[in-house]
Amino acid sequence: MTDLFTRDQINSNIDGTTQTEILTNLASWATDLGIAKDADQLVKDYQAREQESTTGFGNGIAIPHAKSNNIEHAAILFARGTTDVEWAALDDKPVNVWISLLVPDNQADTHLKLLAKLSRQLIHQDFIQLLKTGTADEVYARITEIIS
């Protein structure tokens, strides 16, 4: 699964002050990288998932994800924001770190495996701290290790 995440899928300075702006920026980025076909559709896919239940896990971290035929291949995007963003997270606190999981419709098993592997790590304070303050190299190495 390590081909799902590359160094160019890390943005330590994503712009946005609202959930919609962040999701729009993630979708545009995914489209630019060739992960998704249509950014507007990906925003709708993200928002549909948020309507089901929040992807804000707490401690300032959200895992927005989409499973759609708009997605070309499974991938992970990591972004750290310049601003805290209201996300309706489980702890009612704003979010400034996003791990976006993008998976084609026909790869539901990949989607569930990635979500399980990453969300299990969110109980560990050292992992949370790394996501918030680690270098791009440190974040890349740790996420790659987790999904391997």
Side-chain angles (χ1 to χ4, degrees):
M1 282 207 242
T2 55
D3 61 333
L4 303 171
F5 188 53
T6 62
R7 288 285 281 109
D8 63 340
Q9 290 164 228
I10 296 175
N11 180 343
S12 297
N13 201 23
I14 197 167
D15 206 19
T17 59
T18 67
Q19 186 181 66
T20 299
E21 287 177 0
I22 293 295
L23 294 176
T24 299
N25 289 339
L26 287 170
S28 294
W29 184 24
T31 305
D32 290 346
L33 290 171
I35 296 166
K37 298 173 202 167
D38 181 271
D40 291 336
Q41 181 59 52
L42 184 52
V43 171
K44 290 176 187 169
D45 295 337
Y46 277 137
Q47 289 173 329
R49 176 58 189 82
E50 291 294 333
Q51 291 299 315
E52 291 175 23
S53 66
T54 184
T55 61
F57 278 76
N59 293 308
I61 299 167
I63 304 181
H65 50 280
K67 187 176 56 158
S68 163
N69 62 8
N70 178 45
I71 298 167
E72 296 279 1
H73 59 88
I76 297 170
L77 299 175
F78 174 85
R80 192 180 295 145
T82 56
T83 312
D84 288 345
V85 176
E86 189 51 48
W87 206 267
L90 296 174
D91 63 359
D92 291 321
K93 294 190 172 140
V95 170
N96 60 12
V97 173
W98 296 270
I99 304 171
S100 176
L101 308 179
L102 302 167
V103 181
D105 253 343
N106 62 355
Q107 293 183 18
D109 58 327
T110 299
H111 180 250
L112 293 174
K113 285 177 186 172
L114 288 173
L115 188 58
K117 285 180 177 192
L118 289 164
S119 62
R120 273 196 299 265
Q121 296 302 311
L122 294 178
I123 62 168
H124 301 291
Q125 285 304 314
D126 59 328
F127 181 63
I128 293 167
Q129 196 59 39
L130 174 75
L131 295 178
K132 290 178 172 255
T133 62
T135 66
D137 286 337
E138 291 169 334
V139 168
Y140 174 75
R142 186 69 179 109
I143 290 177
T144 301
E145 177 185 321
I146 290 166
I147 64 172
S148 296

